[in-house]
Amino acid sequence: EVQLVQSGAEVKKSGESLKISCQGSGYSFTTSWIAWVRQMPGKGLEWMGIIYPSDSDTRYSPSFQGQVTISADKSISTAYLQWSSLKASDTAMYYCARCGRTDYGMDVWGQGTTVTVSS
Amino acid sequence: QSVLTQPPSVSAAPGQKVIISCSGSSSNIGNNYVSWYQQFPGTAPKLLIYDNNKRPSGIPDRFSGSKSGTSATLGITGLQTGDEADYYCGTRDSSLSVVVFGGGTTLTVL
């Protein structure tokens, strides 16, 4: 079964750092882009960026460039999303997704990681 | 303000048909393939339609997609209460070099 399994919920304070993960299984992890998508409470989906695990080629949405870092370790089929200094406005659900369809259509999604940042 | 425009909500009776629209521009829908996603409260989105009108394995043929120019539509026939969810369109935007989503449409089956 093709799946993406994300790390568990996080509760942090403003200014702290954080790295969440997304591990793929059931397919060749290096041959599909992995996207990160933010969903703030009660809001819609926002595309943050993507990474190609084979060579770690990374693209960011201008809205998130400089705010987060996307990385991957292909040896353990895992992608990461990290913050160096969290803000309360980073409170959201974060999903990873495999871009297995044309024009980055996302065909497999992780279960999501809730990040709560208190000020 | 989302790059792709969807109606915030639609509603219809069980058994009826509903159409959800998604409007964009030549830099996104006009020149790229559209995907549609279904999201139930508290769960991850799920791919419903890709490449404008293709259904992944396991998606019933009650769901259909189409595209014309800079707009796309999702059609759902034979509505069931279990179809109540949020629906999002998405595609690549060649000018912005990003993926863009619509703001989402909440479907209510009355």
Side-chain angles (χ1 to χ4, degrees), chain A residues 18-92:
Chain A
L18 175 64
K19 191 173 189 177
I20 62 175
S21 66
C22 167
Q23 184 171 42
S25 63
Y27 75 102
S28 177
F29 189 72
T30 56
T31 58
S32 296
W33 293 84
I34 293 288
W36 285 96
V37 176
R38 182 176 80 174
Q39 188 168 38
M40 299 178 77
K43 302 297 184 183
L45 306 175
E46 299 175 271
W47 188 84
M48 302 176 72
I50 50 172
I51 188 164
Y52 194 66
S54 178
D55 60 6
S56 289
D57 183 9
T58 308
R59 324 260 173 97
Y60 292 93
S61 163
S63 299
F64 293 93
Q65 179 85 48
Q67 308 305 307
V68 297
T69 301
I70 294 171
S71 60
D73 184 341
K74 63 183 179 182
S75 69
I76 54 171
S77 300
T78 301
Y80 301 97
L81 178 65
Q82 69 180 94
W83 295 259
S84 58
S85 180
L86 286 161
K87 302 186 277 286
S89 57
D90 293 318
T91 295

Side-chain angles (χ1 to χ4, degrees), chain A residues 86-113:
Chain A
L86 286 161
K87 302 186 277 286
S89 57
D90 293 318
T91 295
M93 178 71 83
Y94 293 87
Y95 295 103
C96 63
R98 185 182 77 167
C99 301
R101 299 299 180 186
T102 317
D103 291 327
Y104 304 121
M106 288 158 268
D107 63 343
V108 180
W109 291 70
Q111 83 276 21
T113 296

Side-chain angles (χ1 to χ4, degrees), chain B residues 40-83:
Chain B
F40 294 107
T43 69
K46 172 183 168 182
L47 181 65
L48 204 60
I49 297 288
Y50 67 97
D51 289 2
N52 302 331
N53 55 18
K54 296 183 173 65
R55 284 176 286 106
S57 173
I59 301 299
D61 59 6
R62 300 187 299 107
F63 296 90
S64 63
S66 66
K67 188 183 99 167
S68 178
T70 59
S71 292
T73 60
L74 172 70
I76 311 173
T77 60
L79 278 170
Q80 303 171 2
T81 55
D83 295 331

